Every structure is written in structure tokens, then in C-alpha cells.
Amino acid sequence: MSTLSPTARVILGMLKLGLRTGYEIKKAIDTSTRFFWGASFGQIYPELHRLHEAGLVEARDQPRGKVRRTEYTLTPAGERALHDW
């Protein structure tokens, strides 16, 4: 992925901080950057899928009971993209 969207950059940064799910990322954005930049679930989840397809994040299904849940982690390529930015 040669150019990352602002949402992708924030997601990579949040994953670097140790957040794992789209829900956790959304909660962190709502409490940290919402006063000058925000993102909706409708932006976060598609961007996580794009980052996964680009090889910048890994995805693991981690269901909780009947709740579908996916945890994401940075790949080495994702670390490099974040560092390069």
C-alpha cells in the first residue's frame, strides 16, 4: 500500500499501542482524537480489511460465545509503513 489514508494511519498507530479489535480502536478514537479527527465503524472495519489484504495487519478470529470478534496485529510490513509515515 503506497499511500495510506488518514484512517489507515490511525489504525496502524492504535495497533502499535496494543489495541486489537475494531471496537477497541473506535473506543480509543472516541476518547483521544474525536475533538479534531474522528472515524466511524463504517470507516474502521473496511480499512482494517484493506490493511489485511495489503499484508499490513494479521487477522485472527477470536469469538466470545456467539459474538464474532476479530483481533488484528501489525505485520513487519505494517510496522515499516507506520515507521515510514
Side-chain angles (χ1 to χ4, degrees):
M1 197 173 266
S2 59
T3 60
L4 295 173
S5 70
T7 304
R9 291 181 185 127
V10 169
I11 289 171
L12 292 177
M14 294 289 180
L15 291 173
K16 179 71 174 173
L17 292 174
L19 301 173
R20 298 286 184 239
T21 66
Y23 179 79
E24 291 172 334
I25 292 167
K26 172 69 169 133
K27 279 180 44 179
I29 288 170
D30 286 349
T31 59
S32 63
T33 64
R34 70 178 172 164
F35 296 109
F36 57 90
W37 183 86
S40 68
F41 287 115
Q43 292 171 288
I44 293 169
Y45 285 107
E47 196 65 56
L48 282 166
H49 292 292
R50 282 190 285 275
L51 291 169
H52 181 252
E53 289 174 0
L56 299 179
V57 300
E58 291 180 353
R60 282 190 320 263
D61 288 333
Q62 296 290 333
R64 285 193 179 164
K66 294 182 180 182
V67 176
R68 184 176 168 209
R69 187 169 175 258
T70 304
E71 290 185 348
Y72 297 88
T73 55
L74 287 176
T75 63
E79 291 261 0
R80 283 191 302 278
L82 183 60
H83 182 266
D84 290 347
W85 172 64

